[in-house]
Amino acid sequence: NAGVTQTPKFQVLKTGQSMTLQCAQDMNHEYMSWYRQDPGMGLRLIHYSVGAGITDQGEVPNGYNVSRSTTEDFPLRLLSAAPSQTSVYFCASSLVTGFVGTEAFFGQGTRLTVV
Amino acid sequence: KQEVTQIPAALSVPEGENLVLNCSFTDSAIYNLQWFRQDPGKGLTSLLLIQSSQREQTSGRLNASLDKSSGRSTLYIAASQPGDSATYLCAGKTSYDKVIFGPGTSLSVIP
């Protein structure tokens, strides 16, 4: 099935724990990105990648790491979880850079709670 | 810093009404703009894309326009249906690699 696959769908972490949110796409898209969605604030860009081996920071990168070793995968790592990172996380991909301009595909989201 | 507002934040209308959702950027330098729909607990689905050379796009009962001089976009939904109930987000491309989202308008269409 074509699309963007995110795992897990739900996660509860204790403060200080680390974890990796997985994102994979099978459409050979060059551009992938991670957003967090908080009530009343829309989606905010965390990190993005314009191709394998290339990543850059978005609007709210602190506390998160990314890597892009393959075109298909773009994992997001929380280094030391904090309650402020409680949010819904979305991974997105598109054929070319900055997906507005081409069709964008979003994953179903990961709802993360840090206690 | 570029910021996006969407008005209204929430809207409840009876079925069959025509309605207008608004999106506004503080900096009018937008390359193109896209409207998305988000259903509860789901990801985003692209609705309409307005390229930099265009002023509006139409798809079925949906029409979106963009006034680049003011940085404002409008999504018009004709003859609303209960299935239109969702959150609608606008997103603007502000540089070659950056896209900024609005906070969304939560729409409820009452049968």
Side-chain angles (χ1 to χ4, degrees), chain A residues 31 35 37 40-45 48 50 56-59 90 97-109 111, chain B residues 1 32-34 36 38 41-46 49-51 87 89 91-93 95-104:
Chain A
Y31 185 85
Y35 287 85
Q37 185 176 34
M41 301 186 71
L43 277 74
R44 292 182 292 169
L45 182 64
Y48 66 97
V50 300
D56 206 345
Q57 296 181 349
E59 184 183 0
F90 287 100
T97 297
F99 55 74
V100 180
T102 61
E103 186 172 9
F105 293 82
F106 278 80
Q108 292 296 297
R111 187 173 297 273
Chain B
K1 177 183 176 182
N32 48 33
L33 187 136
Q34 195 162 14
F36 292 87
Q38 184 178 26
K42 303 292 185 181
L44 278 67
T45 301
S46 176
L49 165 66
I50 306 176
Q51 298 279 15
T87 297
L89 298 99
K93 186 168 184 176
S95 67
Y96 89 101
D97 59 356
K98 297 288 177 59
V99 174
I100 296 178
F101 280 83

Side-chain angles (χ1 to χ4, degrees), chain A residues 67-86:
Chain A
S67 60
R68 185 92 179 272
S69 57
T70 66
T71 298
E72 294 77 19
D73 300 300
F74 190 44
L76 177 72
R77 298 182 186 84
L78 280 71
L79 308 174
S80 177
S84 60
Q85 293 178 304
T86 294

